Amino acid sequence: MLDAVIIILREVLEAALIISLLLASSFTRDINRAWVFLALFFGASGALAYAYFMADISDSFDGVGQEVFNGCLLLSIIFFLALHNVGVSGQFDHSNKKLLLFLTYISFLGAVGVAIVHEGAEIFVYIYGHSSSVETLQPILLGGSLGFGIGLSIGALFYYALVNISKRFRMPAVCCIILIVAAGAASQSALFLIQADLLPSQLPLWNSSEVIPEQSVVGQLLYALFSYEATPTPLQAMFYVGALLVMASAMTVAAVISQKHVIDSEQRNIPL
Amino acid sequence: MKLRYFPFLFVLTAQNVLAARPVFEIEIKEHLFYPAELVIPSGQKVKLIVYNRDNTPEEFESYELNREKVIVGNRKAVIFIGPLAPGVYPFFGEFHPKTAQGKVIVQ
């Protein structure tokens, strides 16, 4: 039963941290947090579908379909997180309120929904794999519920830690953490493509398993938050830094453009 | 672009396709890996085919190898590992971690 606790906990934690971040963002921007229920529903449905078709998806692309699909899921998460951060940096609150709100909801629903599809599929496959008899299923469901509860609690802790940051620093802090999460997702997608031999593989840059082993509690927490790897390859590091630079640039461009828009309107005395 | 550069570019981009990866096989039976210890050469990428002979799914996972893949029952999975420095790299079946354990020995 203990194995089930840890397995379910690991998957739930990865999704819970993204959900907590975006809920904190929603709360700070006075946007109704009810979107999370819709995202949970879509995510769970998608996860069920992915689990159901897992065998065929895995066999596609010469046997590396699972890596390709996971890579696409991660790229989608990065896109939605980038959309969120650009929406915040752009401070486009003044013009086109409805469009901004729509895009904001898209970024919330997209990031959370896809994250749940990615993690939830593995949970469903695991539970289904033990569902042949009640003797095997019961400890799995018990342990799984425990793990689910622990993951939720950690997510809640993270949410309350975030919303307790003073309002002035809250959105910058949330956006910075989202930036790091997106970079982690980018390096993880590189890892999947390396595993599928669609990207070249190299000897690792460093080995930090003496300092923070991946199997330790800290290592697992760091992995859940931003894909901490004890032995990353140069290519993974490049994806990580690349994602950071691209997202930071997009955020800067959005901020500059929206600032110019505000200044232009003020100079021409046009109400925004 | 001058025409004579094209063969060079083709070879550069076709690296992965032209290089033949050595193939190794592992079977999962009754939540155990056969062979539990696999010896592979160091410094090159190898293709690992894991056959899941059980009816239930398993997840091939390894922290040291940085690999994880779900293998549905009665199916196989293709996983590429390496290049690796000589040493011992344990792996396990995440869905049945107590029994499904093995290691890759790189020489």
Side-chain angles (χ1 to χ4, degrees), chain B residues 76-91:
Chain B
K76 71 176 202 298
V78 169
I79 303 168
F80 289 89
I81 57 178
L84 295 161
V88 177
Y89 300 81
F91 59 84

Side-chain angles (χ1 to χ4, degrees), chain A residues 36-85:
Chain A
V36 72
F37 297 112
L38 193 64
L40 279 165
F41 172 73
F42 279 129
S45 316
L48 265 170
Y50 182 18
Y52 186 75
F53 290 109
M54 179 75 80
D56 294 323
I57 291 174
S58 295
D59 286 341
S60 64
F61 289 93
D62 272 330
V64 294
Q66 200 182 120
E67 283 88 341
V68 172
F69 193 70
N70 283 336
C72 289
L73 288 176
L74 285 167
L75 281 170
S76 312
I77 294 177
I78 297 168
F79 168 74
F80 288 118
L81 290 177
L83 185 63
H84 168 272
N85 274 14

Side-chain angles (χ1 to χ4, degrees), chain A residues 24 43-44 64 125 183 194 247:
Chain A
V64 294
V125 172
I194 292 170
M247 255 179 91

Side-chain angles (χ1 to χ4, degrees), chain B residues 67-81:
Chain B
R67 298 288 184 266
E68 70 174 291
K69 189 158 182 172
V70 174
I71 314 168
V72 182
N74 295 312
R75 297 279 185 140
K76 71 176 202 298
V78 169
I79 303 168
F80 289 89
I81 57 178

Side-chain angles (χ1 to χ4, degrees), chain A residues 192-208:
Chain A
F192 278 123
L193 295 176
I194 292 170
Q195 183 174 302
D197 204 15
L198 291 166
L199 278 177
S201 180
Q202 303 129 320
L203 286 169
L205 264 179
W206 67 70
N207 188 342
S208 54

Side-chain angles (χ1 to χ4, degrees), chain B residues 18-34:
Chain B
L18 292 178
R21 311 276 183 219
V23 180
F24 294 87
E25 294 179 354
I26 298 182
E27 285 190 324
I28 302 174
K29 272 193 288 230
E30 299 294 318
H31 315 315
L32 289 165
F33 288 113
Y34 296 95

Side-chain angles (χ1 to χ4, degrees), chain A residues 97-117:
Chain A
K97 255 192 150 77
K98 276 197 171 163
L99 179 65
L100 173 68
L101 198 60
F102 174 71
L103 287 175
T104 307
Y105 273 122
I106 294 283
S107 67
F108 286 155
L109 288 168
V112 173
V114 177
I116 295 175
V117 171

Side-chain angles (χ1 to χ4, degrees), chain A residues 100-271:
Chain A
L100 173 68
L101 198 60
F102 174 71
L103 287 175
T104 307
Y105 273 122
I106 294 283
S107 67
F108 286 155
L109 288 168
V112 173
V114 177
I116 295 175
V117 171
H118 186 218
E119 309 303 333
E122 208 175 304
I123 295 177
F124 285 131
V125 172
Y126 175 66
I127 295 176
Y128 171 74
H130 287 90
S131 62
S132 50
S133 72
V134 183
E135 286 85 41
T136 50
L137 186 59
Q138 204 182 38
I140 300 295
L141 287 179
L142 268 168
S145 313
L146 260 171
F148 191 80
I150 298 174
L152 237 81
S153 309
I154 299 177
L157 261 165
F158 188 49
Y159 172 78
Y160 284 110
L162 287 170
V163 299
N164 271 306
I165 301 173
S166 68
K167 191 141 194 200
R168 202 172 136 215
F169 297 111
R170 203 178 303 150
M171 276 321 289
V174 167
C175 284
C176 275
I177 299 175
I178 287 180
L179 198 60
I180 300 176
V181 168
S187 86
Q188 209 182 20
S189 71
L191 188 59
F192 278 123
L193 295 176
I194 292 170
Q195 183 174 302
D197 204 15
L198 291 166
L199 278 177
S201 180
Q202 303 129 320
L203 286 169
L205 264 179
W206 67 70
N207 188 342
S208 54
S209 37
E210 301 293 315
V211 186
I212 304 179
E214 277 180 47
Q215 297 94 316
S216 65
V217 176
V218 180
Q220 288 291 297
L221 270 169
L222 291 177
Y223 173 77
L225 193 54
F226 47 76
S227 305
Y228 165 76
E229 294 271 353
T231 53
T233 66
L235 193 57
Q236 282 180 266
M238 274 166 55
F239 266 65
Y240 191 96
V241 173
L244 273 176
L245 288 174
V246 171
M247 255 179 91
S249 311
M251 286 163 71
T252 312
V253 168
V256 167
I257 291 179
S258 72
Q259 272 303 98
K260 277 189 80 183
H261 176 83
V262 168
I263 293 169
D264 280 345
S265 311
E266 279 172 359
Q267 284 179 343
R268 288 188 237 155
N269 273 326
I270 298 169

